[in-house]
Amino acid sequence: MTWSKNSGIINRGGHMTISGAAIGDGATVFHQHPLEATISRRADVGVITIKGSEAKAVVDALGLRHQSLNGVPFWHGTTNLHGVVTRVAMIRALGQGQRSTMAAFENLRETFRPAVIALVGIGGGFYPDISAGDVAIGTRAVYYDLRKETAGQVQRRGEDRETPAIIGNAVNSFFVEHGEPARFTYEDHEYRVLSCIIGTGDAVIADAESEIRRYLKHYNDNISVVDMEAGGLTQAFHERGNSSQIHGWVVIRGVSDHSDENKNDAIQKTAAQHAADVLRSLIPYLPCHT
């Protein structure tokens, strides 16, 4: 960006049109660089990631480039998949958890006005429902951290939110064409893609006998993947995005562990790559093209 200075302007009568100018001693004019001018500031799909491995996987899968806007780092670009051209903008949340995800949602919404927002990355799976390396697509999320604590008892109060039907129908169409579970191949190894309900809260689950796991399975036995961010996404959409501007949200989670005592970071990179690969394949089905 460049700045031009102006020491004043004189008009001795008649009409005058001033463009790209400033009036007054020391006045300043801002000139936008060509790269900034080419950014449409409009996206069809907005993507939220949390970890660095998740962000890199999406950038590599979609060929996005970095650009800071208003001091916030984004990655954006255009994809052409099966003849469908899609503008994508991605943000990496500042940290893990529901609150940081809500802030990332707001930054995406204000800056790029996406039609659909996808939360993409890794999550924990409940074995044997889903295996490490598989990918879950969620259009419904159950927030499990709401609770009442009394002497000797914790009473959880699940908060259940579902994305609008237009997104659910798009995901269903994806599975009609690919089968369910769908079978994808990434770098010569196969993994499955399934639809499921996402359990979400701020607790990291690393115990096969966890009370949270038991609660979620009792709440709905189709809950087989958990994360720490989907609740923030669904709450942000409920409060700020539920309008004609944003059609809805979807959660894509590559399973990196079984949410038990064997939880480790060994396959996080692979799980993130699988999730980004599924996002790329899902984009042409999403109702986001204007």
Side-chain angles (χ1 to χ4, degrees):
M1 62 185 68
T2 58
W3 300 84
S4 298
K5 290 189 175 181
N6 187 350
S7 61
I9 187 167
I10 299 174
N11 179 21
R12 298 189 182 278
H15 296 287
M16 176 183 292
T17 300
I18 301 174
S19 177
I23 300 173
D25 189 30
T28 303
V29 178
F30 169 75
H31 297 280
Q32 197 174 37
H33 276 314
L35 177 60
E36 294 173 349
T38 61
I39 297 173
S40 68
R41 300 295 288 271
R42 180 72 170 87
D44 301 305
V45 176
V47 180
I48 299 174
T49 59
I50 310 302
K51 291 178 173 287
S53 59
E54 299 169 348
K56 187 176 189 310
V58 172
V59 167
D60 291 346
L62 300 181
L64 306 182
R65 66 185 187 275
H66 176 263
Q67 177 71 26
S68 290
L69 297 168
N70 300 323
V72 179
F74 294 95
W75 288 259
H76 59 90
T78 301
T79 66
N80 188 338
L81 305 170
H82 311 298
V84 179
V85 177
T86 307
R87 298 162 295 179
V88 180
M90 186 197 78
I91 187 172
R92 180 185 175 188
L94 189 59
Q96 288 182 304
Q98 315 292 343
R99 292 174 297 175
S100 190
T101 301
M102 293 181 75
F105 176 97
E106 191 67 13
N107 280 325
L108 265 180
R109 188 186 71 85
E110 289 186 348
T111 306
F112 283 96
R113 308 187 309 281
V116 177
I117 291 187
L119 177 62
V120 182
I122 64 174
F126 292 170
Y127 184 82
D129 297 2
I130 192 165
S131 301
D134 288 344
V135 175
I137 300 179
T139 57
R140 183 178 169 191
V142 175
Y143 183 70
Y144 59 74
D145 270 342
L146 293 174
R147 61 192 183 274
K148 177 181 179 181
E149 297 194 20
T150 60
Q153 185 180 12
V154 176
Q155 180 182 349
R156 295 194 177 272
R157 297 170 174 173
E159 189 173 66
D160 195 325
R161 289 211 169 93
E162 189 168 5
T163 197
I166 190 172
I167 306 296
N169 288 331
V171 171
N172 286 344
S173 297
F174 168 87
F175 282 113
V176 167
E177 293 203 14
H178 292 277
E180 188 173 2
R183 297 192 178 275
F184 277 44
T185 301
Y186 185 85
E187 295 184 349
D188 298 326
H189 57 273
E190 189 178 86
Y191 64 93
R192 299 181 304 161
V193 184
L194 307 93
S195 62
C196 78
I197 302 173
I198 307 293
T200 182
D202 287 309
V204 176
I205 303 174
D207 178 12
E209 302 302 321
S210 165
E211 179 268 332
I212 295 174
R213 287 182 60 146
R214 292 196 302 271
Y215 167 76
L216 289 173
K217 277 301 186 183
H218 177 74
Y219 186 95
N220 190 309
D221 61 3
N222 286 323
I223 298 173
S224 52
V225 170
V226 290
D227 75 3
M228 298 174 64
E229 288 82 28
L233 170 65
T234 63
Q235 184 69 25
F237 176 78
H238 176 70
E239 294 188 15
R240 300 286 289 162
N242 195 0
S243 67
S244 59
Q245 176 187 313
I246 302 180
H247 299 325
W249 52 266
V250 64
V251 178
I252 302 173
R253 289 305 194 194
V255 176
S256 62
D257 58 74
H258 291 134
S259 304
D260 58 17
E261 59 276 6
N262 297 316
K263 180 181 177 70
N264 59 64
D265 299 338
I267 69 163
Q268 286 191 3
K269 179 180 177 181
T270 298
Q273 290 170 333
H274 289 179
D277 191 36
V278 170
L279 168 67
R280 186 176 186 276
S281 297
L282 180 63
I283 281 176
Y285 297 86
L286 296 176
C288 58
H289 304 95
T290 58

